[in-house]
Amino acid sequence: MVQAEALIDKVRAWVAQAQRVVVLTGAGISTESGIPDFRGPQGVWTRDPEAEKLSDIRYYMADAAIRKKAWQARLVHPAWEARPNAGHEAIVALERRGKLHALITQNIDGLHQKAGNSPERVIEVHGTVLKVICMRCGWKGPMQETLIRLLTGEDDPPCTLCGGILKSDTISFGQNLVPEVIDRALRCAAEADCFIAVGTSLQVYPIAGAVSEAKAAGARVVIVNAEPTPFDDIADAVLSEAIGNTLPQIL
Ligand code: NAD
């Protein structure tokens, strides 16, 4: 499908006029870097519904077998090898133009920072796979060290301080979000004059609500996603071609 040039031009003009662009990204921005999303046609859960258990805190805390499987999946996580793509780079360019108010991401892969966005602009609402956290004492440390423990024979490495269960420092399903992080994300969304949702099915709340926050505060809302989302009706523009092709044109 040829994306209407006129629509691209219109969105590019909105971005040029805007002073506080807020970008919300989801797993779709990283598929072109080789990291599958969850719910897209090639998504991890689309292909293996059982895999959802690995991202559910209830199974993770209750079942050592699930934790072992989750650690094996961490060991071969595509994020370790992934390079940022043209979509990530376009958002770095937007920041260099002085227009990026905030970059809210549901992703845990660290690719926005790897691409060159300032860490203080990136709001990671679902945490990061680059760290581990102890579920008992709250200690945090680099993922790298725990991966080395796995490679040297441990299959469910406990916290070295208190013996508690370790987990990647990501928000699993069934786990509480960090209220200050969500508050900051929703506040930034409400301060946007242009809000762009990229590569997210907008099915995970409360962060999907950032779209309505921005719209209610008067921002132009643009959705860049291959599949329809529940927010397409309130968007000022919906662009459904590949993110790596679309973002460099509009940002
Ligand atoms: P999702 O899997 O629900 O939706 C991704 C959307 O992106 C889909 O609608 C898909 O059609 C679209 N998409 C994929 N590749 C695209 C492309 N190249 N061009 C245009 N559109 C494309 O993702 P979500 O809404 O972010 O929710 C999944 C949750 O899982 C998130 O909360 C996130 O924390 C986590 N997750 C993160 C990663 C990561 O860090 N890279 C990967 C998988 C899942």
Side-chain angles (χ1 to χ4, degrees):
M1 187 178 69
V2 177
Q3 201 150 264
E5 278 295 314
L7 191 53
I8 290 271
D9 288 347
K10 209 189 259 186
V11 175
R12 192 190 298 123
W14 293 342
V15 173
Q17 289 156 12
Q19 288 172 352
R20 292 179 314 283
V21 181
V22 172
V23 180
L24 166 65
T25 62
I29 196 170
S30 294
T31 56
E32 291 168 54
S33 292
I35 304 178
D37 58 18
F38 279 170
R39 302 181 183 84
Q42 295 303 314
V44 175
W45 296 350
T46 313
R47 290 155 66 104
D48 175 15
E50 272 286 294
E52 195 165 346
K53 285 186 179 174
L54 303 184
S55 306
D56 189 310
I57 195 71
R58 290 153 288 209
Y59 291 107
Y60 190 90
M61 295 306 288
D63 187 346
I66 291 287
R67 289 198 294 279
K68 287 176 192 170
K69 230 175 142 183
W71 283 120
Q72 285 308 310
R74 284 288 173 250
L75 208 47
V76 295
H77 198 283
W80 312 134
E81 301 292 330
R83 308 293 316 154
N85 64 55
H88 297 101
E89 282 158 14
I91 303 175
V92 176
L94 185 73
E95 182 175 343
R96 296 210 173 117
R97 290 168 75 190
K99 287 183 179 289
L100 183 69
H101 183 52
L103 171 50
I104 307 166
T105 187
Q106 299 167 90
N107 294 346
I108 56 171
D109 57 30
L111 285 183
H112 289 304
Q113 294 91 328
K114 212 173 188 179
N117 280 115
S118 323
E120 58 275 15
R121 299 250 164 213
V122 183
I123 307 174
E124 292 178 310
V125 292
H126 292 157
T128 174
V129 81
L130 300 178
K131 287 190 203 144
V132 294
I133 181 166
C134 171
M135 300 305 288
R136 186 193 288 160
C137 73
W139 172 82
K140 289 191 188 191
M143 172 62 80
Q144 201 67 22
E145 285 174 12
T146 307
L147 293 185
I148 290 168
R149 290 175 66 188
L150 292 169
L151 288 172
T152 52
E154 292 183 68
D155 53 9
D156 180 19
C159 174
T160 49
L161 295 184
C162 75
I165 291 175
L166 281 189
K167 182 178 127 9
S168 66
D169 189 14
T170 52
I171 308 285
S172 300
F173 284 89
Q175 196 176 358
N176 289 335
L177 294 154
V178 181
E180 306 83 68
V181 177
I182 298 298
D183 288 352
R184 182 179 165 214
L186 295 177
R187 203 173 53 242
C188 286
E191 290 164 353
D193 52 8
C194 180
F195 183 93
I196 308 177
V198 182
T200 168
S201 58
L202 294 174
Q203 290 182 35
V204 181
Y205 278 84
I207 211 60
V211 185
S212 331
E213 289 279 335
K215 182 74 182 177
R220 300 245 199 227
V221 170
V222 178
I223 293 177
V224 183
N225 203 62
E227 294 172 295
T229 81
F231 291 89
D232 289 2
D233 290 347
I234 66 158
D236 297 282
V238 177
L239 302 170
S240 55
E241 277 197 23
I243 293 163
N245 179 31
T246 304
L247 283 195
Q249 295 188 65
I250 64 172
L251 300 186

